[in-house]
Amino acid sequence: MARETIVIDPVTRIEGHAKITIHLDEAGNVQDARFHVTQFRGFERFCEGRPFYELPSIMARICGICPVSHLVASAKACDAILAVRIPETAAVLRRVLNLAQLVQSHALSFFHLSSPDLLLGLDAPAERRNLVGVLAANPQLARDGVRLRQFGQQVIEWLGGKRVHPGWVVPGGVNAPLAAETRERILAAIPEMLELTLRTLAWFKPTLDAFADEVRTFANFPSLFLGLVDETGALEHYDGRLRVVDATGHVRVEGEQPARYAGLIGEAREPWSYLKSAYYLPDGYPAGVYRVGPLARLNLIERCGTPRADQEWAEFRLLERGAVLSSFHYHWARLIEILFALERVEQLLGHPEVLSPHVRATAAPNAHEGVGVAEAPRGTLIHHYRIDDDGLVVWVNLVIATGHNALAMNRGLVQVARRFVHGTRLGDGALNRCEAVIRAFDPCLSCSTHALGEMPLVVELYDADGRLVDARQHAG
Amino acid sequence: MLVVGWGSPLREDDGAGFAVAARLGPPAIAVVQLTPELAEPLSRAGRVLFLDAERGRAPGDVAWRRVEPDDAGTVPHSHQVTPEGLLAAARVLYGAAPEAWLAAIGGARFGYGETLSPEVEAAVAALVERLRGFDGEGACTIPP
């Protein structure tokens, strides 16, 4: 038979627009598969010429899900341009805001976007995956997801003034101190959030037995893992140093300053996608596959640093002797990170200076270049700016979590397609799994291409002569 | 009565529903898009009024429609949460779905911009004036 290609367009329940193509050889076997990101916005270019101090509020507009991450990374890059050390209280408050966003973003991914897969299984036909059907399958789980999202968004609103695109984080710190009343309101809600997160973990872990095939095939391969860790090797989302570990768990890079990321990371462009593919520079392209985000972070660390999260992390790491390699376990890792974030916020709000009014350092630009790095929900986020003598931006580079994971997502897609796509027609199970392996990474294409829009995704199937022979999509 | 207005305030008349709710202020809810967590406050409301912009209707014209929960499960589980899906979610998750109405506000312009067209601005102002006094059960005379 001729070589053929299957198309899934659009891919559903991810953040942005994309499609999947699956290419078959003459024998009808899957030869290749690609995750195409089909939208473009170009923030890196249109920020050129703007005053640097505007960038945090502009960059927050990249994404409606994780604006806080861009706000924090951008403000840190501006801190570097100012060459100031921000007040300790400001750093504590930025951490709280960043962790609140992690809670709401992870809750969206786990409880809303992935819950049909986890509750109904990956062979469920599309007609069963309606909103009411999914919610009714486990109302308690759905309610817990709603509460966690509410909590995360409420904390962002209390601190930043609004839930989406808050402007509270500024170069040099934050623009208002924490009110004692707000501190007490957040602390009062944490016990309930911890309880429902632990309840979700208790529900989720036994369900893994039903997903053995997916655990085995969802981007389950040796790769590197990259992210921030703190000075003790514990889980870190705001500061710290870059660490890279390999599939056996051995450290390849230790203690690298985030500002020197360019020595570790290269970015390749392919003509079929607006998503840049990051790779580990010493290993070259495309061999330098690495992963970031919750799974990577839990593979990098020596401990989380909070009691309950450490217990869960210890159990998680028993999955493998080295690094946990299956990307299906991003889901579990997200739950552990939610637990950590709640415990860490409680710790941070107990800081003796958390209510201090000294929350901002001021200065004129003292450097022409600044790099800001933070851990966004989906992984390491890098903002890198250069300015001229007038403080106007002349160059911007953004390295986004989804770009770090691009090569891994493609390899995972090939792995899933080879296991589940048979012949030239896509069944529900194959369609669901092609989408679900991408969804496990929780890609955000608005961030990664700095693009606008929703994320329905198409899967296309092509023959050996490049002819489109099948295309399917779920409702967006 | 709970007022929920949605739309993008950066896309001219698309933000008409958002504008009404934002000008009313809390407890009215102004959001860029409907999200699942709205099911919880909806379930506690005796009555809800959704406000949204609508293409294809005369600019500033307001159409009133009853909204029923999607109990049959025709709303797909996706990014798009509709008023019907939210009401069903409120019933499934919290045991109650309020009587609900949608006021669809005809829009003239849906480009980039933070101002409403004159016709939509007038309609928004009239809706705000009319809804401002509705702060409790039994005070609502919607639809007209």
Side-chain angles (χ1 to χ4, degrees), chain A residues 321-340:
Chain A
R321 294 182 64 181
V324 176
L325 299 181
S326 173
S327 294
F328 193 85
H329 292 313
Y330 268 100
H331 298 304
W332 190 351
R334 274 185 201 103
L335 292 178
I336 295 172
E337 282 208 321
I338 290 173
L339 190 60
F340 167 81

Side-chain angles (χ1 to χ4, degrees), chain A residues 324-393:
Chain A
V324 176
L325 299 181
S326 173
S327 294
F328 193 85
H329 292 313
Y330 268 100
H331 298 304
W332 190 351
R334 274 185 201 103
L335 292 178
I336 295 172
E337 282 208 321
I338 290 173
L339 190 60
F340 167 81
L342 295 168
E343 291 185 294
R344 192 81 181 100
V345 165
E346 193 169 38
Q347 291 176 347
L348 289 165
L349 291 178
H351 188 285
E353 295 297 318
V354 74
L355 299 177
S356 167
H358 303 296
V359 292
R360 186 172 187 181
T362 55
N366 287 295
H368 283 95
E369 188 167 6
V371 177
V373 180
E375 287 291 333
R378 294 161 183 82
T380 312
L381 173 62
I382 301 168
H383 281 226
H384 186 180
Y385 311 146
R386 292 187 188 128
I387 63 169
D388 63 16
D389 289 340
D390 298 320
L392 300 179
V393 174

